[in-house]
Amino acid sequence: MKDLLLLTPPFTQLNTPYPATAYLKGFLNTKNVSAFQMDLGIEVILELFSEKTFRELFEIAFENDSIQSENCERIYALKEAYLQPLDEVVRFLQGKNQTLARQICTDDFLPRASRFDQLDDMDWAFGSMGMQDKAKHLATLYLEDLSDFIIECIDDNFGFSRYAERLGQSANSFDELYEKLQQKPTFIDDLTLQILEKNIKTIQPKLVCFSVPFPGNLYSAFRCAQFMKAKYPTIKMAMGGGFPNTELRSVSDTRVFEFFDFITLDDGELPIELLENAVCNPTSEKPLFKRTLLLEDGKVIYKNDTERADYKQSDLGTPDYSDLLLDDYVSVIEIANPMHSLWSDGRWNKLTMAHGCYWGKCTFCDISLDYVKIYEPIAAKLLVDRMEELIAQTGENGFHFVDEAAPPALMKALALEIIKRKLTATWWTNIRFEKNFTKDLCVLLKASGCIAISGGLEVASDRLLKLIDKGVTVAQVAQVTRNLTEANIMVHSYLMYGYPSQTAQETVDSLEMVRQLFELGIIQSGFWHQFALTAHSPVGLNPSEYGITPNYKNITFANNDVDFRDHTGIDHSKFSIGLKKSLFNFMHGIGFELSLQEWFGFKIPKTQIDSNFIENCLTIVPNFSIKPTAKIIWLGVMPLVAEQVKTKRGITRHQLVMTFHSPTETFQLNIEKEIGDWLLETLAQLTPTNEKQLTFSSLKQSFETQFDDFELFWFSKPIEVLKAHGLLVL
C-alpha cells in the first residue's frame, strides 16, 4: 500500500522503461516519500502478445468479419503456426531462453507474412555466427506481422510504442479526444484497465501521477484517469511530462479537468512534492503549488504560489527503477543496422549529464521553455556515483544519457572519471557535431565505454545551418563523424527537410551530402523528419523573419505544432518517400551508385554538390595549436623496459628499449636512456588514475628542465607512435 502511484500509460518503448517515473521516485526517496511506480505499457504488451489473448483476438476478428486484406487472411489461415511459438518467442526477446535462437533462424520455424517481404540479406547483416541478433530480427518481424493483424482487424489505433497517437497530435481542440473517450472502451482499453485496476487494488494510492511524454501516451492516460474517476472517485489524478510541458501550457478547456485534478509543467520534482503534501498529508494551511494547472471556480487556473525554488540537479538523487518489471522488457531489432537497433534492443539505464542545452540557439527548437533554456550540468564524480548505484540496483551497466545535447567538456570529465574508477560501462548519448570533438577526445570517450553518438546534421546545407544557428558547418560535421567512426563509435544523424525557405535544390543537395557521408562510412544510421513549426521555438515566435505565415487556430487544448505556409510555395512532403527510401538503402550499405533521381517518382533537380565534396572536407587539416592548459593523458599500460648499449665510431650510447603491449598489438620504442628515463617517469604521471592530470605547459616545463627543444621531441617519431596508441591531448 502506497499513497503515491507514478504511472506511465501505454505505450513507450518495448525494451526499456521510459525514465521519468524512475527519476521522480529517486527524488522522492531523498524526501522519505514512499511511492510505487509502474509502466502500464509493457504489462499490456505482454498480455496482448500472449497465446491466450491472441487466440481470443483471432476469434473476434473472424466473428466481426474484419479480415479484409490478403495479408491478414494469410495470418489468420496460419493462426496456429503464429500462436504455438508466441509465448516462447516473447520469452526469447526478454532474454530468457536464448537457445531458441537456433530454431528461429531456421527457415520454417516462424510463419511469415508481409513484414518478411523486404527481409534483409541475413548473411550480410549478421554473418554466419550472429545468431542471437538474427533471431531477434526475425522474431521482431513475426511480432510486427501480428501487430499488422491487430491494426487491420481489431484496433487501428495500435502501435508498439504508441496508442491513438493521432488524437494527441496537433489537437488544438479537446473535442475529438473527448468524443473518443465517450465511446465504448476498445479491446486494448479493456486489457489496460483490467491490469490497472489490479494494481490499484493492491497499491491503494491517494494520488496517481501520470507521466505523459508523447502524443502516443495521451489517449491512454485520459482513458485510465476516466476509469479511476468513475470507480475510485477519492483518488486524485495529476498529469505531467513532455506532452503537457510543451502542448498544454495554455489549456483552457475545463472538460480536461473532468479527468485530471492537476497538470504540472516543466521539472516535476517540486510540483509533485507539493502535490503529495496537499493530497496525502493535508493540513489546515492553504496548499501551495509550483507550476500547476487546476480547476478553480469553474475556470482553469495556473498556480505558482510557492516561493520555493526548483531543486538543483545535484540534489535530485539517483533514479530508482524498483517496482518496474526490468526482466520482462522485450528487445527487438526492426532493421538490420547496429546503430539503429540501440533504441529498441537492450535495457538501458537512463541518466542525464546536464539539464537543458548548453548551446540553446537552434531556431527550430523549443529554446524558450525551461527544459531547454535552463542549463545546469552535473559534476562528473556525482554522475559516476549514480552510475555505480544504478549498476548495483539493476544489474545492468548500459547507460543512455538522454541529454538535449551533451556538453563535450562534461563528456571528457565523465570519461576520465569512469576510466579512473575502472568501471566497466557501455554508454551513448546525443551531441552537437561541434569542433571540440577532436580525434583524441573521441578515443577517450571510446575507452570509457562510449559506443554510439546521435546528433543533428539537420539540413546538410551551410546556408540553412547558419539560418538554424546550429553553430556547425557540413565540413565540420564530416570531420567530427570521421573522428567518432575512427574511434569505433557509431554515429546516428537526425536529418531535416522542409525548413523555412529551403528550396528543392537544397533538399536534393542535402541528400547528396548524406549519400556521401554514408558511402564513406562515417555515418551509420539516420532518420529524416519534416520540419515542424512549434509555438515555443524562435521560428514560431518570430515567423516573419523566416519567410513563413502561420495558420493560428482557436486553441483550447494542445498548443505546440502550428500549421504554416512557406513563402517558397514548395510542398516539401512530396520528398518524404524518396528521402526515407534512399536512407533505408544507405543504412544497409547499398544504392550509392544510383542517381538521386531513382529514389523519386517525380522530376528533381540535379545535385550541384561535387561528388567528392565530403571526401575533400576530410582532407582539410584543422588549424590546431595545443593550448597550454590542455590535459595530456596516457591510456596505455607501462612498458617492459630493457637497456641496450651501442658503440659506434668509439662512442658508446645507452638506449632504452620499451616494449608496449596494447589489447590488440605490441610495439617497441628505442629512446636515448636519459630521455627514456624521463619519459617513463612522466608516463606514470599521465595515467587517468592520477588525481591531477599534467597540462601541456607543465609537461613542456618538466622536459626543458633537463633537455632542449621540447617541440622537436613532441613531434619526434617515438612520440608520434605513442600518440597513435593512447597518448592524448585533451
Side-chain angles (χ1 to χ4, degrees), residues 72 76 171 190 227 431 472 513 523 561 649 679-680 689 691 697:
C72 285
Y76 182 78
D190 285 336
F227 170 79
I431 67 166
V472 300
M513 300 272 206
I523 284 181
D561 287 4
R649 295 177 183 174
L679 180 60
L680 283 172
T689 53
E691 280 297 326
S697 63

Side-chain angles (χ1 to χ4, degrees), residues 358-359 408 431-439 442 456-457 460-462 465 469-484 491 513 517 522-523 613-614 616-623:
Y358 73 98
W359 179 248
I431 67 166
R432 281 176 64 242
F433 293 121
E434 60 152 277
K435 63 183 179 181
N436 286 321
F437 287 99
T438 62
K439 180 179 179 180
C442 294
L457 170 55
S461 156
D462 284 341
L465 284 170
D469 203 1
K470 191 72 180 178
V472 300
T473 64
V474 174
Q476 190 177 306
V477 171
Q479 290 161 12
V480 170
T481 58
R482 184 265 315 273
N483 292 343
L484 290 163
V491 180
M513 300 272 206
L517 288 164
I522 55 177
I523 284 181
F613 179 85
I614 298 295
N616 291 335
C617 290
L618 301 180
T619 64
I620 299 171
V621 178
N623 182 17

Side-chain angles (χ1 to χ4, degrees), residues 124 335-337 340 518 524-526 582-589:
W124 173 86
I335 66 171
N337 180 289
H340 211 74
F518 273 95
Q524 292 76 47
S525 173
S582 59
L583 185 64
F584 182 84
N585 282 271
F586 297 162
M587 285 198 294
H588 288 79

Side-chain angles (χ1 to χ4, degrees), residues 260-459:
F260 290 98
D261 301 284
F262 312 100
I263 296 175
T264 68
L265 302 177
D266 302 323
D267 293 351
E269 288 83 8
L270 182 54
I272 278 192
E273 182 186 5
L274 294 174
L275 285 182
E276 194 271 340
N277 285 336
V279 174
C280 304
N281 302 292
T283 64
S284 57
E285 295 182 9
K286 181 182 177 183
L288 299 176
F289 298 94
K290 186 76 171 180
R291 293 187 304 273
T292 300
L293 294 159
L294 49 82
L295 200 64
E296 198 170 88
D297 298 327
K299 293 182 180 179
V300 180
I301 301 295
Y302 176 71
K303 291 270 191 172
N304 194 31
D305 46 12
T306 181
E307 294 183 359
R308 292 173 60 185
D310 282 302
Y311 289 94
K312 294 293 184 184
Q313 295 298 301
S314 57
D315 297 327
L316 297 184
T318 301
D320 183 349
Y321 285 89
S322 62
D323 310 325
L324 297 172
L325 309 177
L326 296 184
D327 293 336
D328 291 346
Y329 283 84
V330 178
S331 287
V332 295
I333 297 179
E334 297 164 271
I335 66 171
N337 180 289
M339 175 73 217
H340 211 74
S341 69
L342 290 180
W343 280 272
S344 62
D345 185 24
R347 212 202 59 70
W348 302 96
N349 296 318
K350 307 284 182 114
L351 280 174
T352 308
M353 293 189 210
H355 181 286
C357 179
Y358 73 98
W359 179 248
K361 297 179 183 179
C362 296
T363 55
F364 61 82
C365 186
D366 293 336
I367 61 175
S368 66
L369 298 183
D370 285 355
Y371 82 92
V372 179
K373 180 173 64 177
I374 298 176
Y375 174 66
E376 185 188 345
I378 302 172
K381 287 186 177 181
L382 180 55
L383 278 173
V384 181
D385 286 345
R386 291 177 177 175
M387 290 174 72
E388 289 180 329
E389 285 183 52
L390 282 172
I391 290 171
Q393 179 195 133
T394 67
E396 299 279 357
N397 67 351
F399 292 86
H400 181 195
F401 290 95
V402 291
D403 291 64
E404 298 296 318
L410 182 50
M411 290 174 70
K412 176 177 73 175
L414 174 72
L416 286 169
E417 188 66 23
I418 290 171
I419 294 169
K420 179 181 175 181
R421 297 196 198 184
K422 299 181 180 179
L423 180 66
T424 300
T426 302
W427 62 275
W428 55 298
T429 191
N430 190 57
I431 67 166
R432 281 176 64 242
F433 293 121
E434 60 152 277
K435 63 183 179 181
N436 286 321
F437 287 99
T438 62
K439 180 179 179 180
D440 281 5
L441 177 55
C442 294
V443 170
L444 177 75
L445 297 177
K446 179 63 174 69
S448 72
C450 178
I451 56 163
I453 287 295
S454 59
L457 170 55
E458 317 306 355
V459 287

